Amino acid sequence: MEKERKTDRREFLKVTLGAFIGGALFSSCSLSDLKNPKTMVKSPIKTNVLRPPGAVPEEHFAQKCIRCGRCGEVCPYHCIKYFDVKTGGVFSGTPYVDVMEKPCYLCMKCVYVCPTGSLVPCAKEEVRMGVAVINRQICVTWQQDKTGLMCKTCFNVCPFSGVAIKIDHDFRPYIIEENCTGCGICAYSCIADTYPENNGKKAISIQPIKWKKIKQIKLEDIKKS
Amino acid sequence: MARKSFFKRITLWRYLFLTACFITVIGNPFANYYWDVNFIQGWFQSIGIGNLWVVSPLEGLESILTAKFFYMPSLVGMVIPVTLAFLMGRVFCSWMCPVEFLSLLTDKVLGLIPKWGNSLKYRKDLVRFAKYTLWFALVAELMVTMVIGYPMFVWWSPPGLVGRETMFYVFYKHVTVEIFIVIFVLLLNLITRRMFCRYFCPLGAILALIGKRRQLVIEYDASKCVGCKICDKRCPMGISPSVGESQSVYCWNCAECVDVCPTSALNFVWRDRGFITLPKGSKQGSAV
Ligand code: SF4
Ligand code: SF4
Ligand code: SF4
Ligand code: SF4
Ligand code: SF4
């Protein structure tokens, strides 16, 4: 009995040591550091498909998130969805918000349940899921000479209207990128797709921030602290 | 024997507890979706009950290893499962894991089939590996995780998948291909009882590792044993309690042997009278 215990312990030491040495070796040169994100594993985050509020930068998101689904279960609007292995590969199980299907209403419930800090608690104004981009060729107000319409829908629905989205003297909307949260409410509500010549296209899309240089991304600061 | 029927109730409690845990995990997405009850969120990767957060040790560890970033709530969330494993070993596996619930359920359902049902239920194990295969599973899992740079177990862990597939079904009205992992794990049961749990589950391995010096063990009293070996036959983990293996690291404290022993030679005890004592002569303590 006693002998058995001893061999047991030796076996354990071997296994644990093996795990830690191997781990130390491998983690110091793990592929994720070497790889070119574009060729190795492509993030499924793209236009209008964004991480929920408070998400750490995309390079780290799939590493931190433990796919527990708590963010999605707590979201009262059910706007958080999850990639599966077909759509996401190694990103499978991580949350996303498809703003064209359902935008985020910035209730900020999800960020407070994330156990891993993949979603960092932050104020509504600090959310940077992406940034809204208005396609002026499609917006009926920007084309008012042609369409004769003056729509202010996006301005009206934006939770930070007048701050994130403004209206110029011709009532044409434009985005203040530093203040836009990327919640997608404007894109979701845009009425441009009902105008016959637009072939069902919306005038606003939300671009992930990595594609769009924004001077001040407050989340970076939060993550470092 | 009055004593025995008392222990019988313990096994019964295990079934009840397993069922309760299973219902919580399965029912929770329905509560979240249809009745907007958000008190409980998540499943066995991380479950939040009000302000009490529990994070599974292996998934938490993987997240820390790959992101190289410590997040306090996730460390704090790991305290409860680690303490539990430290004191009682793999009780998560035998008392809470939905995979064990489904395995038990399939065992019971198979037992109902009249002709070969009984031979299926407690059949001989067809394939046996060395017990330490479990450690290779853990090491391989951690290696793969660190080489790829993304946590791996988080998306294929069968205990987590049970919750996730239910959530997918409730929220998005479809299930994903990952459900085949759960089915595969259950099919492995037909070859060898609890084959996946015995040899391949990295979560089970890390819990066993933490619970190596656990306090709650099943004690074998040789003077009472009549050598009937019923316990060996009954043990779902393929351990032989009749030669004292029940205190080994591979035992997951399910109490099946305690229940089945006709002479009460097997009993739950708190090792060292419930005090946490370090092994004699060990200088490193129980850090392993
Ligand atoms: S902030 Fe609210 S609405 Fe937006 S994703 Fe999170 S829980 Fe859903
Ligand atoms: S709550 Fe956090 S860890 Fe859990 S799935 Fe959502 S982002 Fe990932
Ligand atoms: S401009 Fe659009 S995306 Fe930006 S905050 Fe306003 S509604 Fe949200
Ligand atoms: S809602 Fe769409 S069409 Fe209307 S002003 Fe805004 S961008 Fe233009
Ligand atoms: S070994 Fe893994 S699958 Fe089996 S009961 Fe334990 S956690 Fe569940």
Side-chain angles (χ1 to χ4, degrees), chain A residues 51-53 71-72 74-80 96-97 103-111 119 124 127 129 183:
Chain A
R51 291 294 178 202
C71 47
V74 87
C75 177
Y77 304 97
H78 305 307
C79 45
I80 295 185
Y96 70 93
V97 176
C104 163
Y105 292 97
L106 298 177
C107 70
M108 306 313 285
K109 278 196 165 175
C110 54
V111 295
L119 309 178
K124 267 184 201 190
V127 170
M129 295 166 64
C183 67

Side-chain angles (χ1 to χ4, degrees), chain B residues 122-197:
Chain B
Y122 288 116
R123 72 218 155 273
K124 273 247 208 52
D125 299 328
L126 298 182
V127 182
R128 276 184 170 236
F129 299 107
K131 287 207 181 67
Y132 55 76
T133 314
L134 191 64
W135 310 122
F136 289 107
L138 176 61
V139 173
E141 166 65 34
L142 288 176
M143 292 269 188
V144 170
T145 291
M146 284 179 288
V147 169
I148 296 181
Y150 291 99
M152 273 291 112
F153 195 59
V154 292
W155 71 263
W156 73 269
S157 95
L161 277 177
V162 173
R164 182 147 100 227
E165 293 306 321
T166 317
M167 191 259 203
F168 266 81
Y169 181 70
V170 173
F171 276 61
Y172 316 119
K173 311 293 181 250
H174 69 88
V175 289
T176 60
V177 286
E178 281 105 320
I179 200 165
F180 286 107
I181 296 176
V182 179
I183 295 172
F184 180 68
V185 164
L186 291 180
L187 284 180
L188 283 181
N189 276 341
L190 290 179
I191 304 171
T192 297
R193 247 186 299 153
R194 310 292 187 271
M195 188 178 194
F196 178 77
C197 306

Side-chain angles (χ1 to χ4, degrees), chain A residues 37-104:
Chain A
K38 281 191 193 93
T39 53
M40 268 294 291
V41 266
K42 208 164 168 297
S43 162
I45 292 302
K46 52 176 195 265
T47 306
N48 294 332
V49 176
L50 311 154
R51 291 294 178 202
V56 297
E58 182 58 18
E59 309 92 87
H60 302 295
F61 193 87
Q63 300 175 338
K64 296 188 92 179
C65 170
I66 56 170
R67 284 76 161 164
C68 67
R70 287 172 61 181
C71 47
E73 290 197 340
V74 87
C75 177
Y77 304 97
H78 305 307
C79 45
I80 295 185
K81 302 182 80 181
Y82 295 88
F83 295 113
D84 61 13
V85 75
K86 277 183 289 183
T87 51
V90 292
F91 298 86
S92 116
T94 55
Y96 70 93
V97 176
D98 184 345
V99 295
M100 283 305 172
E101 219 167 285
K102 224 175 258 176
C104 163

Side-chain angles (χ1 to χ4, degrees), chain B residues 18 44 90-101 103 134 153 157-160 185 194-205 207 237 252:
Chain B
L18 264 172
F44 286 122
R90 283 176 77 177
V91 283
F92 166 79
C93 294
S94 55
W95 288 69
M96 283 177 233
C97 180
V99 171
E100 166 63 3
F101 175 84
S103 303
L134 191 64
F153 195 59
S157 95
V185 164
R194 310 292 187 271
M195 188 178 194
F196 178 77
C197 306
R198 262 190 223 181
Y199 303 124
F200 304 122
C201 183
L203 177 58
L207 292 177
M237 296 301 276
W252 66 2

Side-chain angles (χ1 to χ4, degrees), chain A residues 144-158:
Chain A
Q144 51 190 271
D145 298 342
K146 199 172 80 187
T147 61
L149 292 170
M150 237 198 276
C151 152
K152 283 206 301 181
T153 308
C154 51
F155 179 79
N156 291 337
V157 294
C158 176

